[in-house]
Amino acid sequence: AAKAAGKRQWRRFQPQQRVRMVERHDLRARLDRAIARQEFDLRYQPVVDMETGDVIGFEALARWPHRGQDAVPPGRFIPLAEETGHISSLGGWVLRHATADIARLQRRTRRAVPPYVSVNVSARQWRDAGFLDEVCAAVDAAALAPGTLQLELTESVLIRRTDRIDALLRALKDRGVRIAVDDFGTGYSSLRYLGDFPVDVLKIDKAFIDGIPHAPRQVALVEGIVHLADALGLQVIAEGIEEQAQRELLSSVGCRYGQGFLFARPMTVEQSEAVLRTGGGPG
Ligand code: C2E
Ligand code: MG
Ligand code: MG
Ligand code: MG
C-alpha cells in the first residue's frame, strides 16, 4: 500500500518537475543568448560614510532587463551563469562597463576624492587565467582615477586558496585595486584567511544587520566583527541597512560605512551623478 501511495505521489509530482525543468532549460537558453548579445544593465548603489553623510563609492549590480516579463533577479541569473560557465563573459562586460561609467562620473563631478566603484567577481572569474589582464585593460581603457576600483570576492575564494589566487590578489593590490570580502560571516567558518590575505574591506552581510538593534547576540556579533576589522586595519561596510535605528547602532559600535535602502537603492549612473551633485557631501 505504501508503495502504491508512493507511486501515486511520484506520478502527481512528475508533471510539475517536468515544467520546472523545461522552464530552467528555457531560462538558460535565454540567458546564454542575452550574454552573447550583452543585453544587460548596471545599477549603482551608493556606499555612504555614515559619519559625514558623503557618498564614497558605488557598488555595481547587474540587471537583466526583460520586455513584457518579470525581471529575473541577479540572485537567480548569476548562479545560472556560473553553472553554464558564461559568468566570465558576463563578468567581463560588467567590469568594462562599470569602470567606464564611474570614470565618466568622476570626470563630470570632479570631486576632491573621486568615488570608487565596487564590482562583484564570481569565484569562477578569480580562477580565469586572463583575469588580471582583463582588469588592467578595463582600468586603462576607462582611465579610471587611481585607486578607485574595488573588487568583491566571497569567502569561498579565500578558503580554497591557491598560490595563483594569492599572487593574483597581490598583483591587483600592487596596481591599487582594493579587495573586499562580500557577505562576510556567511560563508565558511574559517577566519584564517584574514591572517594570510591582504584584503582591504569587510562587507558585513545583511543577515547580521537584520537582527540589530533588537537581538543582543546579533549586536554582539556585529560589534565583534567591527573590532576584528579595526584590529586588522580593515575598512568595514555594513550591507542592507534599512532603518535609522540600525544606522545609529552601527555608528555607536564604530562601523563608519554603510549601504542600504535607508540611504539609497541601486540606481542608474545618471541618478548617481545627481546624488553626487546634490546630496553627496562636500568635494
Ligand atoms: P551582493 O553583492 O551582496 O549585493 C547586495 C545586494 O543587496 C543587492 O541585491 C542589493 O540590491 C541588495 N540590497 C542593498 N541594500 C539593501 C537593503 O537595504 N535591503 C535589501 N533587502 N536589499 C538590499 P541584488 O542587486 O539583487 O544582487 C544580489 C546578488 O547578486 C549580489 O549580492 C551579488 O552576489 C550578485 N550580483 C549582482 N551583480 C553581480 C555581478 O555583476 N557579478 C556577480 N558575480 N554577482 C553579482
Ligand atoms: Mg557585493
Ligand atoms: Mg553582499
Ligand atoms: Mg549578498
Side-chain angles (χ1 to χ4, degrees):
K3 206 174 172 186
K7 214 168 181 178
R8 255 200 315 279
Q9 251 180 8
W10 181 78
R11 282 223 177 90
R12 223 174 339 124
F13 260 95
Q14 199 188 21
Q16 277 181 13
Q17 275 171 348
R18 259 192 69 84
V19 168
R20 269 206 300 276
M21 272 175 62
V22 169
E23 271 174 7
R24 225 178 119 70
H25 187 268
D26 184 54
L27 188 67
R28 250 171 113 125
R30 281 197 289 133
L31 181 62
D32 288 355
R33 237 177 357 254
I35 290 174
R37 297 178 188 164
Q38 310 196 325
E39 293 171 339
F40 294 87
D41 273 341
L42 288 178
R43 291 293 177 271
Y44 296 92
Q45 187 179 33
V47 180
V48 175
D49 179 339
M50 296 190 281
E51 224 164 76
T52 61
D54 288 358
V55 172
I56 59 165
F58 296 89
E59 178 173 5
L61 294 160
R63 295 289 179 264
W64 181 13
H66 271 65
R67 291 168 298 271
Q69 276 162 305
D70 283 343
V72 181
R76 180 118 189 263
F77 73 77
I78 294 287
L80 204 57
E82 284 168 348
E83 276 174 37
T84 61
H86 290 140
I87 188 67
S88 300
S89 166
L90 173 55
W93 181 89
V94 170
L95 197 55
R96 290 189 300 277
H97 280 258
T99 47
D101 275 349
I102 296 301
R104 200 171 346 103
L105 190 79
Q106 290 171 345
R107 286 191 289 270
R108 290 169 58 95
T109 55
R110 299 172 155 279
R111 288 163 67 99
V113 181
Y116 68 81
V117 65
S118 194
V119 175
N120 292 284
V121 179
S122 286
R124 169 66 178 255
Q125 294 173 265
W126 288 103
R127 290 197 304 267
D128 287 341
F131 184 65
L132 178 63
D133 288 343
E134 201 173 8
V135 173
C136 295
V139 169
D140 290 347
L144 199 66
T148 59
L149 176 63
Q150 174 170 297
L151 298 179
E152 301 191 8
L153 46 71
T154 50
E155 292 172 307
S156 64
V157 174
L158 296 179
I159 301 285
R160 282 187 225 112
R161 58 179 299 189
T162 60
D163 289 346
R164 243 209 81 241
I165 296 222
D166 204 339
L168 172 58
L169 291 172
R170 282 175 208 285
L172 287 166
K173 283 202 72 167
D174 287 346
R175 287 166 172 77
V177 177
R178 295 201 311 169
I179 307 295
V181 181
D182 200 2
D183 306 334
F184 179 75
T186 61
Y188 295 70
S189 56
S190 169
L191 291 176
R192 199 159 65 90
Y193 66 81
L194 286 180
D196 298 334
F197 278 99
V199 300
D200 305 283
V201 179
L202 297 186
K203 299 190 73 171
I204 308 180
D205 195 78
K206 180 175 185 300
F208 294 98
I209 308 307
D210 285 343
I212 64 171
H214 302 298
R217 301 181 72 88
Q218 300 285 1
V219 172
L221 269 171
V222 169
E223 192 166 8
I225 294 171
V226 172
H227 289 166
L228 175 72
D230 280 351
L232 292 169
L234 309 178
Q235 191 181 82
V236 205
I237 300 173
E239 291 194 273
I241 305 172
E242 293 181 344
E243 291 163 22
Q244 184 59 26
Q246 293 172 325
R247 175 195 185 154
E248 281 161 16
L249 184 123
L250 286 162
S251 294
S252 78
V253 301
C255 178
R256 181 162 175 186
Y257 304 100
Q259 240 179 294
F261 294 173
L262 175 68
F263 306 111
R265 291 189 177 246
M267 54 180 74
T268 64
V269 68
E270 291 80 14
Q271 291 167 326
S272 304
E273 187 175 326
V275 161
L276 285 182
R277 289 192 192 286
T278 57

